[in-house]
């Protein structure tokens, strides 16, 4: 599921592989030079009648086929049923061999071979840790080889609330659910965590929570998501504060009065639903934005940040853009 406003920035790619759903994410959303390829994976357990020894190869080959058409950053996550322990997901090249084969003169080869250096450059630890005592299995070695060949890196235990921990993701015994990232996507990961087990979400899996942030949004007068930008924006001018307040107070269409009445009605209700409060908050935001847009055809807002919230279980992908989250009793 995803918000309708993101529809123009997400392209669901239909492929033959039954183990992955690919989605191309526009570079405008996460402020990158290239688009990104997102894959939601479910790899059946090795003892399942649905498993196949070629599943990792199929996912990797499709990723490479899509990337060969255009250069893409990659995000892959889901249930791999792979136990990797804390084995490395990268290869440090032998610099003597680099000299012998004269790779120093080829920038593309050097960039590929030393891509792992982007992690410490972005304050991401090279070494992974895990709270799982399970020995790496065959699927784990396959996953690590996919990472090494494609310069993909496991985010578990490296970022967010899971940094330095490596929480268990399945049955409170093992780590088999992962988030994999291209090295240059680590800086845009705002949050990452392994959520508490919820039987309403999955049978035995914990939900992976990741938020990828875009720094600035460009709105037009219709409050539609039209473009993402990180270079130019309109700065708040303190001397215009009174003018803005006058615009807010001039409630000619009685919109603010209606909102206040709705808030009064919600205040006396028992068991307010979150959706009801969200609708009121969204109306307040739109009303304030409309006041800002008086005599202005377009406005860039610097401090309003957008996030793509990727909430997932073993076979569920939720893409959500959050603007405001507010509960009862919060002061605007």
């Amino acid at each position: 599921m995803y918000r309708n406003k993101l529809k123009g920035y997400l392209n669901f790619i239909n492929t033959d592989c039954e183990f992955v759903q690919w989605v191309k994410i526009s570079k405008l959303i996460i402020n990158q030079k290239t688009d990104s390829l997102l894959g939601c994976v479910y790899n059946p357990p090795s003892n399942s009648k649905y498993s196949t020894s070629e599943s990792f190869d199929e996912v990797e080959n499709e990723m490479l086929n899509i990337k060969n058409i255009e250069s893409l950053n990659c995000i892959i996550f889901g249930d791999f049923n792979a136990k990797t322990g804390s084995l490395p997901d990268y290869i440090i090249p032998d610099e003597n061999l680099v000299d012998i084969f004269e790779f120093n003169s080829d920038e593309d080869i050097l960039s590929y071979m030393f891509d792992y250096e982007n992690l410490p450059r972005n304050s991401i630890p090279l070494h992974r840790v895990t709270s799982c005592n399970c020995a790496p299995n065959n699927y784990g070695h396959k996953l690590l080889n996919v990472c090494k060949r494609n310069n993909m890196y496991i985010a578990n235990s490296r970022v967010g609330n899971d940094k330095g921990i490596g929480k268990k993701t399945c049955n409170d015994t093992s780590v088999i659910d992962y988030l994999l990232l291209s090295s240059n996507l680590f800086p845009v990961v705002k949050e990452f965590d392994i959520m508490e087990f919820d039987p309403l979400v999955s049978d035995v899996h914990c939900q992976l929570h990741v938020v990828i942030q875009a720094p600035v949004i460009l709105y037009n007068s219709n409050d539609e998501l039209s473009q993402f930008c990180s270079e130019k924006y309109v700065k708040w001018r303190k001397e215009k504060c009174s003018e803005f307040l006058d615009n807010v107070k001039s409630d000619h269409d009685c919109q603010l009065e209606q909102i206040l009445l709705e808030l009064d009605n919600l205040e006396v209700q028992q068991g307010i639903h979150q959706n009801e409060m969200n609708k009121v908050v969204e109306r307040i935001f739109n009303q304030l934005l409309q006041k800002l847009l008086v005599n202005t055809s377009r406005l860039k807002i610097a401090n309003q940040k957008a996030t793509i919230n990727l909430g997932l279980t073993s076979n569920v992908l939720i893409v959500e853009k959050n603007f405001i989250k507010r509960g009862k009793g919060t002061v605007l």
Side-chain angles (χ1 to χ4, degrees), residues 2 5-13 22-38 70-75 185 188 212-216 225-229 306-308 310 319 321:
Y2 58 90
K5 289 182 179 181
L6 289 175
K7 185 176 181 180
Y9 301 90
L10 302 175
N11 178 23
F12 287 80
I13 304 172
W22 298 108
V23 185
K24 188 168 76 169
I25 303 176
S26 171
K27 61 185 177 183
L28 297 176
I29 289 183
I30 54 178
N31 191 32
Q32 293 287 307
K33 294 180 180 179
T34 64
D35 294 338
S36 294
L37 181 65
L38 183 149
E70 54 183 315
S71 178
L72 299 170
N73 298 314
C74 284
I75 309 168
L185 287 180
V188 300
I212 297 175
Q213 179 175 299
V216 179
L225 183 62
S226 59
Q227 181 182 351
F228 285 78
C229 174
T307 61
I308 303 170
L310 305 177
V319 180
K321 180 168 66 65

Side-chain angles (χ1 to χ4, degrees), residues 18-238:
E18 59 185 8
F19 304 111
V20 61
Q21 170 64 61
W22 298 108
V23 185
K24 188 168 76 169
I25 303 176
S26 171
K27 61 185 177 183
L28 297 176
I29 289 183
I30 54 178
N31 191 32
Q32 293 287 307
K33 294 180 180 179
T34 64
D35 294 338
S36 294
L37 181 65
L38 183 149
C40 182
V41 170
Y42 173 67
N43 192 53
S46 57
N47 59 355
S48 167
K49 65 178 181 179
Y50 302 105
S51 67
T52 169
S53 58
E54 288 81 31
S55 57
F56 283 88
D57 293 333
E58 289 184 27
V59 173
E60 182 181 13
N61 289 336
E62 283 202 343
M63 177 184 69
L64 292 174
N65 288 336
I66 297 172
K67 288 181 65 176
N68 282 339
I69 299 174
E70 54 183 315
S71 178
L72 299 170
N73 298 314
C74 284
I75 309 168
I76 303 178
F77 56 81
D79 176 7
F80 294 85
N81 275 297
K83 299 174 183 177
T84 62
S86 58
L87 294 177
D89 50 2
Y90 57 91
I91 296 176
I92 298 179
D94 187 328
E95 296 197 18
N96 291 324
L97 292 178
V98 173
D99 293 335
I100 291 173
F101 290 101
E102 298 182 347
F103 289 147
N104 286 317
S105 59
D106 193 316
E107 289 296 329
D108 290 336
I109 292 179
L110 288 177
S111 176
Y112 171 79
M113 295 180 68
F114 291 93
D115 181 83
Y116 72 93
E117 292 182 346
N118 287 327
L119 270 65
R121 192 175 292 126
N122 289 307
S123 301
I124 305 298
L126 275 179
H127 181 66
R128 294 187 300 118
V129 297
T130 180
S131 60
C132 172
N133 296 321
C134 303
N137 61 5
N138 183 45
Y139 278 2
H141 289 290
K142 286 179 178 289
L143 178 60
L144 291 170
N145 287 334
V146 170
C147 290
K148 293 173 183 177
R149 287 193 294 264
N150 297 280
N151 286 332
M152 299 285 293
Y153 305 91
I154 296 172
N156 302 50
S157 85
R158 281 184 168 132
V159 295
N161 291 339
D162 195 43
K163 188 172 185 177
I165 301 175
K167 297 177 185 176
K168 298 168 185 173
T169 67
C170 180
N171 237 0
D172 198 30
T173 58
S174 60
V175 179
I176 59 175
D177 306 88
Y178 299 92
L179 169 67
L180 313 180
L181 296 170
S182 296
S183 62
N184 55 349
L185 287 180
F186 276 91
V188 300
V189 176
K190 181 184 178 184
E191 299 174 15
F192 177 73
D193 201 358
I194 311 298
M195 309 302 287
E196 293 293 328
F197 172 70
D198 185 348
L200 295 177
V201 176
S202 176
D203 52 353
V204 293
H205 293 268
C206 295
Q207 188 179 18
L208 301 188
H209 167 79
V210 57
V211 174
I212 297 175
Q213 179 175 299
V216 179
I217 303 176
L218 176 64
Y219 291 93
N220 62 21
S221 57
N222 294 322
D223 192 33
E224 291 293 330
L225 183 62
S226 59
Q227 181 182 351
F228 285 78
C229 174
S230 63
E231 296 178 356
K232 298 180 180 179
Y233 51 82
V234 174
K235 184 178 180 180
W236 171 258
R237 296 171 61 183
K238 187 176 181 180

Side-chain angles (χ1 to χ4, degrees), residues 243 247 289-297:
E243 184 177 337
N247 286 333
L289 181 62
Q290 185 179 5
K291 298 298 182 180
L292 283 170
L293 291 172
V294 173
N295 299 324
T296 305
S297 60

